């Protein structure tokens, strides 16, 4: 049986805030993933390696067992359409909220409101739960620009300080969900590699 653990993390804020947590467990990469183009990083713990992938790919790698565990934002997990994951810990890092936002002044429109977002599933569920009909436009970033240029009337996006909304003349209208990063674990690995994974989760829980 393979007794190694592969942990998937995404580059950027999640990586920056995850590395100190791992360091508190005594796990350190041999090279700095923030400044390397490598995708696989060995650590001082010969059982543990990190892989650095896109945030939206973390649940996929973990569900299929290519990674045993991963660190992913709740926003990404809410969008992910799979069921092969355990989500045992809220790591409390990268806290922000997923919100509906729009221009400060309401405009009169004679059609269904258009909502720009990269969170199609969450946005669809949110408006369905409110019984409201909207057209959802998929974008991959810089959502705040869409209402400014008339591409959309509203956006659903992450808000942390609110500075990006403010800088583009928008206001937060409603919080849809609190977001933070979560530890996710492959269901089969939780059983097959429990001798490694269970102590890892307990030690991580103890430092949070
Ligand atoms: C995120 C989010 C907002 C911004 C919110 O974008 O999409 O644009 O941060 O943060 P604030 O409320 O503190 O201004 P990010 O910088 O992660 O880039 P992205 O658009 O590529 O996701």
């Amino acid at each position: 049986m393979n007794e190694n653990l592969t942990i998937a993390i995404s580059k950027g804020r999640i990586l920056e805030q995850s590395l100190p947590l791992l360091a508190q467990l005594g796990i350190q990469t041999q090279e700095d993933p923030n400044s390397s183009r490598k995708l696989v990083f060995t650590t001082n713990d010969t059982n543990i390696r990190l892989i650095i992938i896109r945030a939206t790919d973390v649940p996929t790698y973990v569900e299929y067992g290519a990674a045993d565990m991963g660190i992913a934002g709740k926003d990404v997990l809410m969008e992910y359409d799979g069921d092969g994951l355990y989500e045992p810990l809220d790591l409390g890092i990268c806290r922000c909220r997923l919100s509906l936002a729009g221009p400060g002044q309401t405009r009169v429109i004679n059609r269904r409101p258009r909502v720009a977002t990269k969170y199609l599933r969450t946005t669809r569920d949110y408006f369905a739960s409110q019984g409201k009909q909207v057209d959802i436009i998929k974008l991959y970033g810089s959502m705040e620009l869409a209402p400014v240029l008339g591409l959309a009337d509203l956006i659903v996006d992450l808000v942390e300080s609110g500075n990006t909304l403010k800088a583009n003349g928008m206001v937060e209208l409603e919080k849809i969900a609190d977001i933070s990063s979560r530890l996710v674990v492959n269901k089969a690995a939780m059983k097959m590699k429990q001798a490694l994974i269970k102590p890892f989760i307990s030690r991580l829980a103890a430092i949070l």
Side-chain angles (χ1 to χ4, degrees):
M1 188 171 66
N2 180 0
E3 277 297 348
N4 291 317
L5 285 183
T6 301
I7 306 175
I9 306 183
S10 57
K11 213 159 191 157
R13 269 177 265 206
I14 291 183
L15 179 65
E16 281 159 25
Q17 296 186 32
S18 298
L19 289 179
L21 283 182
L22 294 176
Q24 283 188 65
L25 299 182
I27 300 164
Q28 273 168 326
T29 53
Q30 317 281 20
E31 261 182 81
D32 181 4
N34 288 304
S35 56
S36 168
R37 299 288 299 170
K38 276 189 172 179
L39 301 172
V40 180
F41 293 87
T42 53
T43 70
N44 57 329
D45 183 332
T46 49
N47 290 321
I48 297 179
R49 65 177 178 169
L50 305 188
I51 58 167
I52 308 298
I53 54 179
R54 284 192 59 144
T56 45
D57 291 335
V58 169
T60 310
Y61 271 75
V62 176
E63 174 165 1
Y64 286 89
D68 302 297
M69 296 192 279
I71 296 177
K74 187 67 185 172
D75 54 324
V76 167
L77 295 173
M78 282 161 54
E79 276 298 297
Y80 186 68
D81 189 14
D83 64 355
L85 296 175
Y86 287 123
E87 193 189 307
L89 283 182
D90 180 349
L91 301 177
I93 57 170
C94 302
R95 281 185 192 279
C96 57
R97 51 204 184 272
L98 186 70
S99 291
L100 177 69
Q105 290 151 342
T106 26
R107 299 171 195 152
V108 179
I109 47 168
N110 298 314
R111 49 166 173 74
R112 288 206 293 208
R114 292 199 294 249
V115 185
T117 188
K118 63 179 166 190
Y119 300 102
L120 293 187
R121 189 178 194 221
T122 310
T123 300
R124 199 178 53 231
D125 292 350
Y126 168 74
F127 282 104
S129 74
Q130 306 233 325
K132 289 184 187 156
Q133 293 211 317
V134 297
D135 288 330
I136 299 174
I137 299 175
K138 167 93 180 183
L139 290 179
Y140 292 87
S142 306
M143 252 71 73
E144 295 84 356
L145 193 57
V148 176
L149 295 188
L151 173 62
D153 306 297
L154 301 164
I155 64 168
V156 169
D157 195 15
L158 297 180
V159 181
E160 191 181 353
S161 64
N163 289 341
T164 311
L165 286 180
K166 203 171 164 193
N168 292 287
M170 307 249 287
V171 293
E172 194 173 356
L173 300 171
E174 192 172 346
K175 180 176 81 177
I176 297 173
D178 284 308
I179 303 295
S180 56
S181 298
R182 313 297 167 101
L183 181 74
V184 288
V185 181
N186 173 272
K187 283 189 175 171
M190 188 74 117
K191 290 197 194 90
M192 305 295 288
K193 299 187 179 181
Q194 59 173 297
L196 283 174
I197 292 178
K198 290 212 165 145
F200 180 91
I201 294 173
S202 316
R203 286 169 59 218
L204 194 51
I207 62 161
L208 292 176

